[in-house]
């Protein structure tokens, strides 16, 4: 319950941070008229929408299983991440369109207010700090929504750094064409990030296997807690939001009692739960003579 509440707080915090950063970047764009800063502000607008989606998705994902969703609502976070990735790509298209128009008729830098760059830099620092919080929390909680939001903010940080550096060069050299050119590069970078967010979350919706590091943790937990069993095989995993579903076959001596076999299963489930909280484990118990009949000798 505490972990769930903290996830809600982080999601609401993202909404507040995104609105603050959007206001700062909007002010920076207004002060400078820069197309590159417009592109940076446009990405922050997507951040606000993504933060709201993440907050909604986390609330839905935390709902308990019901008759219509007996395995829970975990994949709501994946839908949120895909929606955010799609919004990122749409924003990139709008930025690219604006940059192409500006490149055909570059504006003047004479009325450019350098203070706007300082305002944008403050917004970048805020994004950097919050992105690190979200990425860390997303990994710890295995939350696709928080992780996608954090990765998007980190991309926004690199975008802002590139924009600030490029505009600094433009001001020093007087090359006005650098402004829309930087915006085009920003758009390309945003498309790349949007694609990664969509691709990763779509994999979970298609029941992709647990990540390699999680698989190793699961195998170690099973191996260290299965004393009394003869063999484990057909281990399969799949991801759904922040949850991991695990199933495998456990081979025991045919003469072992149901109670003893059940105790082994309990020990394995507890070991997995200790390593991956919230994991759902299904164990199919098999007598060893079934494998011997197939010519397989458990060891």
């Amino acid at each position: 319950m505490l972990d769930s509440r903290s996830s809600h707080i982080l999601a609401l915090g993202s909404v507040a941070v995104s609105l603050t950063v959007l206001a700062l970047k909007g002010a920076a764009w207004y002060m400078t008229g820069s197309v590159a800063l417009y592109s940076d502000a446009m990405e922050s607008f997507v951040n606000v929408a993504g933060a709201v989606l993440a907050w909604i998705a986390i609330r839905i994902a935390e709902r308990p299983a019901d008759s219509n969703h007996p395995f829970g609502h975990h994949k709501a976070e994946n839908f949120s991440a895909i929606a955010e990735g799609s919004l990122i790509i749409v924003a990139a298209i709008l930025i690219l369109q604006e940059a192409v128009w500006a490149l055909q008729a570059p504006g003047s830098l004479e009325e450019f207010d350098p203070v706007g760059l300082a305002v944008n830099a403050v917004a970048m620092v805020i994004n950097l700090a919050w992105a690190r919080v979200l990425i860390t929390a997303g990994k710890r909680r295995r939350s696709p929504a928080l992780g996608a939001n954090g990765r998007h903010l980190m991309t926004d940080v690199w975008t802002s750094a590139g924009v600030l550096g490029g505009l600094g060069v433009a001001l020093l050299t007087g090359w006005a064409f650098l402004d829309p050119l930087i915006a085009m590069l920003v758009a390309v970078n945003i498309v790349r990030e949007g694609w990664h967010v969509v691709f990763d979350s779509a994999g979970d919706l298609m029941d992709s296997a647990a990540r390699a590091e999680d698989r190793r943790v699961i195998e170690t937990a099973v191996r260290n807690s299965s004393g009394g069993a003869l063999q484990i095989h057909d281990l399969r995993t799949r991801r759904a939001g922040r949850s991991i579903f695990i199933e495998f076959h456990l081979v025991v001596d045919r003469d072992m009692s149901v109670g003893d076999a059940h105790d082994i299963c309990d020990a394995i489930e507890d070991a997995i739960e200790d390593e991956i909280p919230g994991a759902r484990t299904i164990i199919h118990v098999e007598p060893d003579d079934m494998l011997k009949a197939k010519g397989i000798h458990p060891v």
Side-chain angles (χ1 to χ4, degrees):
M1 182 66 180
L2 182 60
D3 186 68
S4 171
R5 186 176 303 169
S6 60
S7 293
H8 294 166
I9 292 173
L10 285 170
L12 283 174
S14 289
V15 176
V17 169
S18 297
L19 286 171
T20 301
V21 169
L22 175 60
L24 289 171
K25 289 187 176 183
W29 169 52
Y30 179 79
M31 295 168 67
T32 62
S34 165
V35 180
L37 289 180
Y38 163 81
S39 68
D40 207 6
M42 179 63 73
E43 187 175 6
S44 290
F45 180 79
V46 175
N47 286 347
V48 174
V52 172
L53 286 172
W55 175 70
I56 294 172
I58 287 173
R59 288 182 63 86
I60 294 174
E62 293 292 343
R63 292 177 182 173
D66 54 39
S67 58
N68 288 327
H69 305 87
F71 292 98
H73 301 79
H74 311 287
K75 290 187 178 182
E77 291 197 38
N78 297 113
F79 284 110
S80 165
I82 289 176
E84 181 169 358
S86 301
L87 287 173
I88 293 171
I89 294 172
V90 170
I93 293 172
L94 294 175
I95 292 168
L96 192 60
Q97 182 183 48
E98 185 74 16
V100 169
W101 289 341
L103 191 61
Q104 293 172 354
S108 172
L109 296 176
E110 294 180 359
E111 299 180 359
F112 193 98
D113 188 350
V115 176
L117 294 183
V119 173
N120 210 71
V122 171
M124 180 186 70
V125 172
I126 294 173
N127 261 346
L128 174 61
W130 193 248
R132 291 174 66 89
V133 170
L134 290 181
I135 291 173
T136 300
K139 288 180 179 178
R140 187 168 63 247
R141 293 171 170 78
R142 305 176 190 276
S143 170
L146 291 178
N149 205 219
R151 291 196 305 275
H152 183 198
L153 287 183
M154 188 57 72
T155 299
D156 198 9
V157 169
W158 288 112
T159 296
S160 296
V163 166
L164 292 173
L167 287 178
V169 173
L171 286 174
L172 291 174
T173 61
W175 295 345
F177 70 88
L178 284 178
D179 184 21
L181 187 61
I182 293 168
M184 294 177 72
L185 294 175
V186 168
V188 172
N189 184 50
I190 294 173
V191 167
R192 181 188 64 83
E193 174 61 18
W195 168 253
H196 282 305
V197 170
V198 171
F199 184 82
D200 290 346
S201 294
D204 285 1
L205 289 177
M206 298 180 68
D207 289 339
S208 57
R211 294 178 175 84
E213 58 269 27
D214 288 331
R215 170 93 183 194
R216 286 193 293 269
V217 168
I218 293 167
E219 290 175 347
T220 300
V222 172
R223 185 167 53 250
N224 293 340
S225 61
S226 57
L230 300 176
Q231 188 193 66
I232 293 165
H233 63 92
D234 290 346
L235 174 64
R236 297 188 298 175
T237 62
R238 65 182 178 89
R239 291 180 291 166
R242 69 182 65 183
S243 292
I244 297 179
F245 291 79
I246 307 160
E247 60 180 79
F248 57 88
H249 292 207
L250 180 75
V251 181
V252 300
D253 189 293
R254 184 173 188 82
D255 296 327
M256 179 178 286
S257 68
V258 172
D260 288 343
H262 188 268
D263 289 343
I264 296 174
C265 292
D266 282 347
I268 294 173
E269 291 170 3
D270 290 343
I272 294 175
E273 177 67 22
D274 288 341
E275 297 295 332
I276 305 179
R280 310 294 182 87
T281 306
I282 298 176
I283 305 174
H284 176 71
V285 178
E286 292 181 351
D288 59 341
D289 57 351
M290 289 184 65
L291 290 183
K292 292 176 181 178
K294 298 177 183 178
I296 302 174
H297 297 279
V299 294

